[in-house]
Amino acid sequence: MIAGVLLDLDGTLYVGDAAVPGAAEALARLRAARLPFRLVTNTTSRSRAMLVERLRGLGIAVSAEEIVSAPVAAATLARDRGHAVVAPFLPEPALEDLEGVTLTGGITGSNNGRPTAVLLGDLGERWSYALLQEAFDHVMDGAELLTCSRDRYFRKGEGLALDAGPFVAALEYATGREAIVAGKPSGGFFYAAVRALGKGVRPESVVMIGDDLRSDVEGAQRAGLQGWLVRTGKFREGELAAGSIVPDRLLATVADLPAAVMLSP
Ligand SMILES: [Mg+2]
């Protein structure tokens, strides 16, 4: 019995600038069936408010509370770990979701004190040697290395583009430190999303649907959820065929919901 659904955004509900056909209808059917859902994303190129607007433009009406995002989770993680001053290395729009911490250095270029943590995101083409060097300096000075994700790549046009992961790996390699992940595939992120689905909802009765074998499927499975893979977005037949991660279910697209949910034991 499925008690709730978590859905990835990029590559699952939309690809590039277009909604996956049937995505809006699939969410409408979930609402009609009163099956609680949350949208869970590692995206840091947009704030949660901007994601709500973007989805509205694609015909998908959701509230900010229905989106569980990595930057929001990262702010919580930073505060929980006692970091009051954080150096952000993620796109500007995400900064408004970093509540309760003072930002210094990084992409702000400001000096509001010495950071006790650095936070990475998918800075994309804004990465520079100088920014990587600054993050490296902070970590070597004792700052903790936090990241919204360690996703390897995302779908961009017909190809794939470097996500945050390769830059996280570079800093880990240089510093000998291991990054702490705030978003998918961390267990804490999935548990927070499951809690957001409602009281008493158990991880094992929740389905996570996404296009990333590691962050979506494997991460969910490790947290005790079901991990379902869609054949959209960054999906590559060869990666699935490698067989190291086996989805609990394979959907052609998110439009196969909720019929697929209802048919699931
Ligand atoms: Mg995705």
Side-chain angles (χ1 to χ4, degrees):
M1 177 73 186
I2 303 299
V5 179
L6 303 179
L7 298 121
D8 170 53
L9 285 183
D10 194 3
T12 303
L13 289 188
Y14 54 76
V15 179
D17 291 326
V20 169
E25 292 78 3
L27 290 193
R29 288 198 300 275
L30 285 179
R31 285 198 200 282
R34 298 189 182 282
L35 202 57
F37 68 84
R38 287 292 183 276
L39 310 181
V40 293
T41 179
N42 277 356
T43 293
T44 63
S45 55
R46 293 179 175 84
S47 68
R48 194 158 63 154
M50 288 166 70
L51 288 171
V52 169
E53 279 310 304
R54 176 176 170 76
L55 287 164
R56 193 194 315 277
L58 297 174
I60 300 171
V62 294
S63 66
E65 292 68 38
E66 290 177 309
I67 299 178
V68 182
S69 79
V72 174
T76 304
L77 178 72
R79 293 194 307 270
D80 287 350
R81 298 185 70 82
H83 299 301
V85 183
V86 174
F89 296 83
L90 65 176
E92 248 119 29
L95 299 187
E96 71 178 66
D97 287 334
L98 302 180
E99 286 177 9
V101 291
T102 297
L103 301 179
T104 189
I107 62 145
T108 73
S110 63
N111 186 353
N112 293 315
R114 190 175 151 181
T116 58
V118 300
L119 174 61
L120 272 59
D122 51 345
L123 205 46
E125 292 178 13
R126 284 210 50 200
W127 276 116
S128 65
Y129 187 91
L131 280 174
L132 274 172
Q133 177 70 40
E134 185 194 330
F136 169 73
D137 286 339
H138 291 319
V139 175
M140 292 304 277
D141 283 345
E144 196 161 54
L145 179 55
L146 308 179
T147 183
C148 285
S149 87
R150 54 184 317 130
D151 293 348
R152 299 178 185 201
Y153 48 78
F154 59 92
R155 167 94 175 260
K156 190 176 183 183
E158 286 308 301
L160 300 172
L162 294 175
D163 208 311
F167 301 91
V168 174
L171 287 171
E172 287 179 329
Y173 184 70
T175 62
R177 306 282 292 277
E178 197 176 328
I180 300 170
V181 182
K184 298 175 286 184
S186 83
F189 184 82
F190 282 111
Y191 298 137
V194 169
R195 279 197 300 277
L197 288 170
K199 261 202 174 118
V201 175
R202 307 277 310 149
E204 54 269 27
S205 65
V206 174
V207 170
M208 169 72 212
I209 299 163
D211 69 323
D212 190 307
L213 259 181
R214 293 181 190 83
S215 282
D216 295 328
V217 173
E218 186 180 42
Q221 290 175 337
R222 285 194 172 158
L225 290 70
Q226 290 191 36
W228 292 14
L229 187 70
V230 287
R231 291 176 179 272
T232 52
K234 75 181 84 171
F235 172 82
R236 290 291 184 275
E237 204 66 56
E239 216 193 342
L240 178 66
S244 58
I245 303 164
V246 181
D248 293 289
R249 211 167 160 146
L250 207 51
L251 302 180
T253 86
V254 73
D256 286 359
L257 277 177
V261 173
M262 301 309 178
L263 290 172
S264 183

